[in-house]
Amino acid sequence: MEKGRLMRLRHPDFRQTVSMLALLGAFSVPADAFAQDAAGQDGDQSTELETIVLTSTKTGERVYDTLSGSSGIGDERLNTELQGAAVSQIVTVIPGVSSQTSADDPGTAINMRGLQDFGRVNVLVDGARQNFQKNGHEANGTFYIDTQMLKSVDVTRGPSSTIYGSGAIGGVVNFTTIDADDVLLPGATTGGRVRTGFDTNGYGPTVHAEAATKIDDVADFLIAGTLFKPDDYKSGDNETVQSSQYLRSGLAKVRIRPTDDQEFSFSGSRYANSFENFASSVRPIDVTVDSYTAGYRYTPADSDFWDLSAKVYYTDTLSDQGAAGGDTGQSFDVGTLGFDIFNTSKFDTGPLSHELTYGGDFFRDRVKTVDEVGSSDDLTPSGRRIAYGAYLQDKVSFDNWLEVIGALRYDAYKLENDKIEIDGKRLSPKITVGVTPWDPVTFYATYAEGYRAPALTETLIDGFHPPPVTGQFFPNPDLKPEVAHTIEAGVNLRFNDVIASDKLLVKLGVFQNDVDDYIDQVFHLFPIPGGYQYENIAEARIKGFEFEASYDAGRVFAGLSGQILDGVNRTTGDTLQKVPPFRAVTTLGFRAFDDRLTAGTRLTVVGKKDDDVSTGFIGEAYQLVDVFADFAVDERMSVNVQLNNIFDRQYTQYLNADPSPGFNAKAFLTMRF
C-alpha cells in the first residue's frame, strides 16, 4: 500500500510565477541536448554533438530526429548543471518522467507518463534490468544507483520501444555509467579524476575517484569508487527530515578489441548503502546491489549485414533490514539474470532503404524474502518469474522525406511458487510513419501495443497486514496481463541560423495510452475485517502533451521541457493517483572566458493536483529556482557550484510522503591527473 499525506505547500501566486518565467526565458535544457553536428546544415561548424539516444531504435539517433517520445541527458549537462544530483532531480528535467522516493530510503521509482511500479517502466543500468521490488508503504519497484558514476540518461516514453524488452508499457530508461574515454585526457593512455564535494543542507562529504588506462586501440580499463555520507536535511520550513545514509560504491570496466570489427566488454559494480527507515518504526537497513555484465559487438566496416550486439547480465539487490520494535530482522533479495541479442542489417529494395533489426531477450527473476516472525514473506512472496521475447523491426526510408517503422514483438512469461503457476503469451505490433515535407520539419504518428505480465507480488501476495492495522491480502492467480494501446503524434523542428550562428530545436508530442486489464489494488469489505487484492480493472486511460525545446547561440543557451498529463479509471471514473501534475522546467545560461565558464539558472514550475482526495494524494503548486556554475581553471582542474531552491521553498514532490530539501548549496572540486 502507498502512504499518502496531504501535501500543503506555501507557494507564490500565479503573477509571481509569470514574472519569474519572463525573467528566466521560456526555455530549459543545456548544451548537450541542443548541440550540433560537427558539420551540420548551412555550414554549421559546431564541434559538439546532439545527444544520441539508443532506446528508440537501438541503432542510435539524435533526440530531435527520433520518431518517438525520446529524450537524453549527456555528460556535459550532468557534469555542469546536475553534478552529484539525485536521480529524482535528474529525471525532473525530462518531459513525461517523474519519480517517487522516500527521504529515509535512497531507492527511486521511475514514473513515466503516469505509469510506474511492477516493471511498467523498464529501468536499465548499462543495459541490465533493475527489477527489485518489496511491498510496503513506498513504491512497488525501486532501484539504487550512484549518480557520480553516471555518463548519460536515455529515455523513450510509451510502449513504442518494443525492442527493449518485456513489460515496458510506460517506457524505458537506460542509465549509462562512465568508461575509460570519459576519464582520460585527449591523447593520454593513463589518467584519472578525483572529485570532492559537500552539501550545506544534509551536510556530508563526497569523495569520488576514477582511474583508467588504455593499451593502444586494443584495450582499456577503468576503476572508480565513491564515498558519500550526508546527514539529515531540513525542509523549507526548517523541519528536520530523516535522510542520513552511508554510501560506498565501486565500478570496474574492461573493453577488449581484438580486431577493428569486434569488441568485448565486461563490467562489475557494487552499490552498498546503510541508512535507517522510519516507515512504521525505526529499522536499520543495509542495501547491497551487485551487477555484472558481459557484452560483444561485431560491426565490420565493409558489411551492411552485420551490426551485432549481445549482452548477458546479472543483478542482485539485497535489502537486509534489522530488528524493529522487538521483532527480528527481515530481508528482501531479488536476483535478475538476463540476456539481450540483436542485429541490424541495412539493404535497399529499389528506391527504399531498409534498416532491419531483429533479436530476442530473456530475463529470470528470483525473489527470496525472509521474515521469521512477521508477515513480510507473505506480503512480498518468494517465487520465480521468467519472461522472454523476440522482435522484428524494419525502418524503411524513401527519398529523405518518408520514413516508416513497422515492428512486431512476441512476449511470453511464466510465474510460479510452491502453490501457483501461471503463464501467458502475446504478439504486439507497432507502426510509425514520419514525413518531412521540408527540411527543418518532421511530422510523425505511431500506434504501438505493449504487454506486461503480472508481477510475483501482484499474483501471489497472501497474508495479514501487520498490526495495528487490520486486513488481509488475498492472492489472485487469475490476474490477466496488462495490454497497452498507444496512439502518439508529434513534430520535430530543427532550425539553423535563426538569428545568427545559432540553432533552435523543438520537439512536441501528444499521446493517448489505453491500458486494458490494468492491475490495481482493490479493497473488499467482506470477509470481515476486509481485505486487499490486486485485480484487473477494465481500462485505464492516460493522455497528455509533452514538450521540449532548446536554443544555443554559443554565448547563451536556453531551453524548455515539461508535460501536461491526465489519467482516469474508465470503469469507475476515478482519477489515477500515479499520474503526476503539470510541470515545466526552464533554464537560461551563458558561456564566457573561452567557454571555460558555464553558468545559468533553472526554474521549475509544478501545478497543483487535488482531484484524488479519496486516496490522500494531494499536491499543491510550487516553484523552485536553482543556480549553477562550472568553471574550468585549466584542463586539469574545475570547480562546480550549485545553489538549489535558493528561495528556501517548502514543498513536497507529488507521490512523496516527505517534504523535499530547502535551500542547499553544493560545491565540487574535480582534479585530473
Side-chain angles (χ1 to χ4, degrees):
M1 293 185 297
E2 301 288 350
K3 57 179 179 181
R5 298 181 188 171
L6 298 182
M7 303 178 184
R8 306 195 181 280
L9 313 177
R10 298 193 303 268
H11 59 90
D13 61 22
F14 177 75
R15 286 173 296 179
Q16 185 174 348
T17 301
V18 173
S19 298
M20 286 190 289
L21 280 168
L23 175 64
L24 295 176
F27 298 104
S28 148
V29 188
D32 61 359
F34 41 72
Q36 308 153 22
D37 291 323
Q41 301 171 357
D42 302 325
D44 180 19
Q45 297 298 316
S46 174
T47 58
E48 296 175 349
L49 296 177
E50 185 185 333
T51 301
I52 301 296
V53 295
L54 295 172
T55 51
S56 56
T57 62
K58 280 204 171 183
T59 56
E61 291 183 291
R62 297 179 301 182
V63 167
Y64 291 88
D65 285 344
T66 60
L67 304 182
S68 59
S70 298
S71 301
I73 301 176
D75 59 349
E76 181 178 342
R77 190 172 195 188
L78 289 172
N79 289 326
T80 300
E81 184 182 341
L82 298 164
Q83 192 169 122
V87 171
S88 57
Q89 183 180 359
I90 293 172
V91 301
T92 296
V93 303
I94 304 174
V97 183
S98 303
S99 64
Q100 182 177 353
T101 61
S102 294
D104 55 4
D105 188 331
T108 304
I110 299 296
N111 181 304
M112 202 170 292
R113 290 182 171 177
L115 292 172
Q116 73 172 69
D117 295 339
F118 298 119
R120 291 184 176 101
V121 177
N122 185 3
V123 179
L124 308 170
V125 176
D126 288 335
R129 294 182 72 113
Q130 307 298 303
N131 288 355
F132 179 74
Q133 181 269 324
K134 65 180 179 66
N135 198 29
H137 292 277
E138 286 104 17
N140 284 298
T142 57
F143 77 107
Y144 298 85
I145 190 172
D146 172 14
T147 59
Q148 292 287 346
M149 303 288 188
L150 271 185
K151 168 181 179 174
S152 64
V153 182
D154 178 353
V155 165
T156 293
R157 299 173 288 276
S160 62
S161 188
T162 57
I163 58 180
Y164 258 86
S166 176
I169 63 173
V172 58
V173 52
N174 187 32
F175 295 86
T176 302
T177 59
I178 55 175
D179 53 39
D181 293 334
D182 302 302
V183 178
L184 297 175
L185 290 168
T189 58
T190 301
R193 289 189 296 194
V194 175
R195 178 179 297 148
T196 57
F198 69 91
D199 293 49
T200 61
N201 190 359
Y203 179 81
T206 299
V207 180
H208 175 77
E210 306 159 358
T213 187
K214 179 183 293 186
I215 303 174
D216 296 325
D217 291 327
V218 176
D220 57 56
F221 307 87
L222 165 79
I223 57 171
T226 300
L227 175 67
F228 178 46
K229 194 175 182 181
D231 293 330
D232 301 333
Y233 67 74
K234 291 185 180 295
S235 65
D237 63 0
N238 208 36
E239 173 191 352
T240 297
V241 180
Q242 305 290 342
S243 59
S244 62
Q245 56 178 295
Y246 181 25
L247 166 65
R248 296 86 67 203
S249 74
L251 171 68
K253 283 188 173 182
V254 178
R255 293 186 298 188
I256 302 172
R257 292 171 285 273
T259 68
D260 292 340
D261 301 334
Q262 300 182 79
E263 179 180 284
F264 294 89
S265 59
F266 306 91
S267 71
S269 65
R270 165 162 284 197
Y271 172 103
N273 205 333
S274 302
F275 51 92
E276 290 185 332
N277 185 271
F278 296 80
S280 54
S281 55
V282 180
R283 187 185 293 274
I285 298 178
D286 293 301
V287 169
T288 304
V289 184
D290 291 319
S291 185
Y292 308 94
T293 69
Y296 173 72
R297 289 293 310 274
Y298 180 56
T299 55
D302 58 352
S303 173
D304 288 332
F305 180 81
W306 290 107
D307 187 349
L308 176 67
S309 177
K311 175 168 286 188
V312 60
Y313 61 87
Y314 178 72
T315 299
D316 183 84
T317 303
L318 170 63
S319 179
D320 195 359
Q321 309 194 355
D327 65 10
T328 59
Q330 58 192 26
S331 66
F332 305 85
D333 190 2
V334 178
T336 302
L337 173 67
F339 71 80
D340 177 18
I341 183 171
F342 68 93
N343 184 59
T344 298
S345 300
K346 297 180 181 180
F347 58 93
D348 295 332
T349 56
L352 303 180
S353 298
H354 299 261
E355 264 187 27
L356 187 66
T357 301
Y358 42 95
D361 49 69
F362 164 93
F363 72 86
R364 184 207 67 190
D365 284 336
R366 175 209 33 87
V367 179
K368 184 178 181 181
T369 306
V370 176
D371 188 356
E372 296 180 356
V373 176
S375 59
S376 293
D377 51 348
D378 294 324
L379 304 184
T380 303
S382 300
R384 297 160 299 280
R385 179 179 65 153
I386 64 170
Y388 54 93
Y391 52 84
L392 178 68
Q393 174 177 280
D394 192 11
K395 180 180 176 182
V396 184
S397 302
F398 173 72
D399 198 27
N400 294 323
W401 69 270
L402 176 65
E403 192 169 276
V404 179
I405 304 174
L408 190 64
R409 178 178 175 87
Y410 170 80
D411 280 301
Y413 77 96
K414 181 180 179 181
L415 181 154
E416 63 181 355
N417 67 357
D418 296 335
K419 301 177 181 178
I420 297 173
E421 178 178 321
I422 60 174
D423 57 28
K425 57 187 177 181
R426 190 178 191 275
L427 281 172
S428 301
K430 180 186 88 168
I431 183 70
T432 296
V433 178
V435 178
T436 304
W438 58 93
D439 194 38
V441 181
T442 299
F443 299 96
Y444 67 88
T446 295
Y447 174 77
E449 295 183 3
Y451 179 79
R452 185 187 76 89
L456 285 162
T457 293
E458 292 172 307
T459 309
L460 306 177
I461 187 171
D462 186 7
F464 289 88
H465 193 289
V469 178
T470 59
Q472 186 174 357
F473 294 88
F474 300 100
N476 188 354
D478 297 321
L479 270 182
K480 302 175 183 177
E482 296 174 340
V483 178
H485 309 264
T486 296
I487 300 173
E488 184 171 350
V491 58
N492 298 332
L493 309 172
R494 299 172 59 92
F495 299 105
N496 293 303
D497 301 324
V498 178
I499 300 176
S501 299
D502 55 3
K503 192 162 194 173
L504 172 65
L505 306 174
V506 180
K507 193 177 188 75
L508 307 173
V510 295
F511 74 92
Q512 178 175 292
N513 190 1
D514 290 332
V515 184
D516 294 340
D517 295 317
Y518 182 83
I519 299 173
D520 204 357
Q521 194 176 84
V522 178
F523 177 77
H524 295 281
L525 184 60
F526 298 100
I528 300 295
Y532 303 87
Q533 186 179 52
Y534 286 98
E535 298 180 1
N536 295 108
I537 64 176
E539 186 179 314
R541 170 170 288 178
I542 303 173
K543 56 186 178 181
F545 170 58
E546 298 163 341
F547 49 92
E548 57 185 314
S550 55
Y551 175 79
D552 193 354
R555 290 292 185 186
V556 297
F557 60 89
L560 169 69
S561 66
Q563 83 247 344
I564 302 172
L565 303 175
D566 180 62
V568 63
N569 178 337
R570 299 193 73 194
T571 303
T572 64
D574 294 336
T575 298
L576 296 177
Q577 71 176 38
K578 295 292 185 179
V579 178
F582 162 80
R583 185 183 72 223
V585 182
T586 75
T587 298
L588 179 65
F590 68 92
R591 305 182 185 95
F593 305 112
D594 296 325
D595 293 342
R596 291 164 56 202
L597 172 65
T598 300
T601 184
R602 181 177 60 247
L603 170 65
T604 302
V605 177
V606 177
K608 68 177 181 178
K609 185 176 173 71
D610 57 5
D611 54 358
D612 198 18
V613 179
S614 61
T615 63
F617 284 92
I618 298 175
E620 296 190 8
Y622 59 88
Q623 299 82 30
L624 306 174
V625 179
D626 308 318
V627 176
F628 61 89
D630 189 85
F631 181 67
V633 180
D634 54 38
E635 72 169 359
R636 296 183 179 273
M637 183 170 68
S638 64
V639 178
N640 183 273
V641 176
Q642 300 166 52
L643 306 178
N644 293 326
N645 192 3
I646 62 174
F647 294 119
D648 203 22
R649 298 296 186 198
Q650 168 74 10
Y651 74 102
T652 301
Q653 183 176 308
Y654 184 70
L655 292 179
N656 292 355
D658 306 296
S660 298
F663 171 72
N664 181 30
K666 302 161 66 80
F668 294 94
L669 174 65
T670 301
M671 301 288 295
R672 288 178 176 267
F673 58 88

